[in-house]
Amino acid sequence: MPVKARRSPAPPPHKSYLDVAAMIAAPGTVVLGLLYYFGNQYNEAYYRAFGVPLSDLPLSIQAVLARSPQAVFFPVWVLLVCGLLVLLVLGWLGHALARPENAGRRRTAYRALLAVGLLLGVVGGYPVFFRDDLFTFLPAGWPRGLLPTLVVALGASLAFFAVQVRLGQHDPGRRNRRVRDADRLWLVSGALLLGLLILSLFNGMSRYAAMAGGTQAESDADSGMRRYPAVEVLSRLRLVHHATDIDFEDLGAGAGPYRYRYRNFRLLLKTPTRFYLVPYYGGYKDSVTVVLPDDDGTVRVVMKGSVR
């Protein structure tokens, strides 16, 4: 009998340059979106500490992205280190449970890991996502901002690992229909646990970005706002403000329309209609933000010899 020629498998479809570009651009867009969000959280918390309304922030996309490394570098580094340690430990544990002599311990192990993971991830997730005031006993700074989120992420990781151990108990070639139906539920549970893990990491990054912005504002205020340009204020009328350590000088009627001069201000922010000025002061607790209209008919803000 003639032997039929075996057909070679069809070659994979050729991907166009647009398909390849879409595969590269889609993750990049997500990353840029996250960087913009965390940078915006940082900036909002920073200027909120000085009393600047969020609606007055005229920050461009480039300015927000430029601040994002300050908001995400440390938490990303912590999450990568902790994630590496957890993966190494779970990988070693999974390898040990996969041995034939540990088959009896596998069920006990995944049940214990699932219980601990759900306790940390689900029960511990409530105060993390909804009650920030429950962590006042933790030291201020990154422990209060990141530690509760790391606990929830650890719980979700342990529970997800328990699901993987449970699904790896049976030989796929000998599963009956009831086992397959049960495994589908376990797969759905694993997907939900991954969602909980991603949500906890996103929440922790967002909280840390806001905390870092407020902390940086206090640090800048305590150091005399040295990162901001010094300005002088020339005014037709005497200004009423509560800032301390501001040098005032009456130039006299012969100095022109802008008779009064104020020194020792720093330009915190310029919006299309306002100047937000802060003085040289000795600490954040005594900080005062002076808001002046951007109106050359009333005041002029002079910076480095140029009129703003």
Side-chain angles (χ1 to χ4, degrees):
M1 295 180 62
V3 179
K4 294 183 178 180
R6 180 177 299 177
R7 294 183 178 180
S8 60
H14 178 70
K15 295 183 178 180
S16 64
Y17 290 107
L18 291 179
D19 295 333
V20 177
M23 295 176 60
I24 298 175
T29 303
V30 173
V31 172
L32 286 177
L34 290 174
L35 289 177
Y36 179 83
Y37 176 81
F38 295 132
N40 194 54
Q41 291 289 100
Y42 179 94
N43 284 313
E44 287 186 357
Y46 183 90
Y47 290 107
R48 190 189 303 115
F50 292 104
V52 179
L54 303 183
S55 59
D56 283 0
L57 294 180
L59 302 176
S60 63
I61 297 178
Q62 294 82 358
V64 174
L65 292 177
R67 287 286 187 93
S68 59
Q70 297 175 266
V72 302
F73 177 80
F74 180 76
V76 168
W77 180 81
V78 171
L79 292 175
L80 289 177
V81 172
C82 294
L84 176 62
L85 295 176
V86 171
L87 288 177
L88 290 176
V89 173
L90 293 181
W92 171 83
L93 181 60
H95 181 72
L97 293 176
R99 297 174 182 174
E101 61 270 19
N102 292 329
R105 302 176 181 176
R106 193 176 298 125
R107 175 174 298 181
T108 303
Y110 89 76
R111 288 180 175 177
L113 289 173
L114 184 62
V116 174
L118 291 178
L119 180 63
L120 295 178
V122 178
V123 179
Y126 172 76
V128 169
F129 297 137
F130 305 107
R131 294 290 303 274
D132 293 341
D133 57 318
L134 296 180
F135 302 112
T136 54
F137 65 93
L138 293 174
W142 73 265
R144 189 180 300 177
L146 282 181
L147 190 59
T149 299
L150 291 176
V151 172
V152 176
L154 176 62
S157 301
L158 293 178
F160 181 78
F161 176 74
V163 171
Q164 298 301 309
V165 174
R166 167 63 178 79
L167 293 176
Q169 284 191 119
H170 304 282
D171 182 4
R174 294 186 291 115
R175 291 182 180 176
N176 56 37
R177 182 175 180 180
R178 294 177 57 187
V179 173
R180 290 198 302 270
D181 292 340
D183 286 349
R184 291 191 185 97
L185 295 178
W186 282 94
L187 286 173
V188 173
S189 301
L192 294 177
L193 289 169
L194 279 179
L196 177 62
L197 175 62
I198 295 173
L199 181 63
S200 63
L201 296 180
F202 180 83
N203 177 268
M205 295 280 290
S206 178
R207 291 176 55 185
Y208 179 85
M211 180 208 67
T215 302
Q216 186 62 47
E218 295 184 15
S219 176
D220 288 345
D222 291 336
S223 62
M225 305 298 291
R226 297 175 182 176
R227 298 194 298 122
Y228 293 90
V231 296
E232 292 182 357
V233 177
L234 302 175
S235 175
R236 291 176 179 269
L237 305 174
R238 297 196 61 168
L239 301 179
V240 178
H241 63 85
H242 300 283
T244 59
D245 298 329
I246 299 299
D247 291 339
F248 166 73
E249 184 178 0
D250 185 351
L251 302 178
Y258 298 99
R259 176 175 176 173
Y260 305 103
R261 180 167 62 186
Y262 300 83
R263 294 178 176 176
N264 289 348
F265 275 116
R266 295 269 185 175
L267 180 61
L268 174 67
L269 184 66
K270 171 67 175 68
T271 71
T273 59
R274 296 182 181 91
F275 293 97
Y276 290 90
L277 307 178
V278 289
Y280 297 96
Y281 39 72
Y284 176 75
K285 294 182 179 180
D286 300 325
S287 64
V288 175
T289 302
V290 178
V291 183
L292 298 179
D294 185 7
D295 181 9
D296 285 344
T298 304
V299 297
R300 284 188 177 184
V301 177
V302 182
M303 178 178 60
K304 295 182 179 180
S306 61
V307 178
R308 293 288 303 274

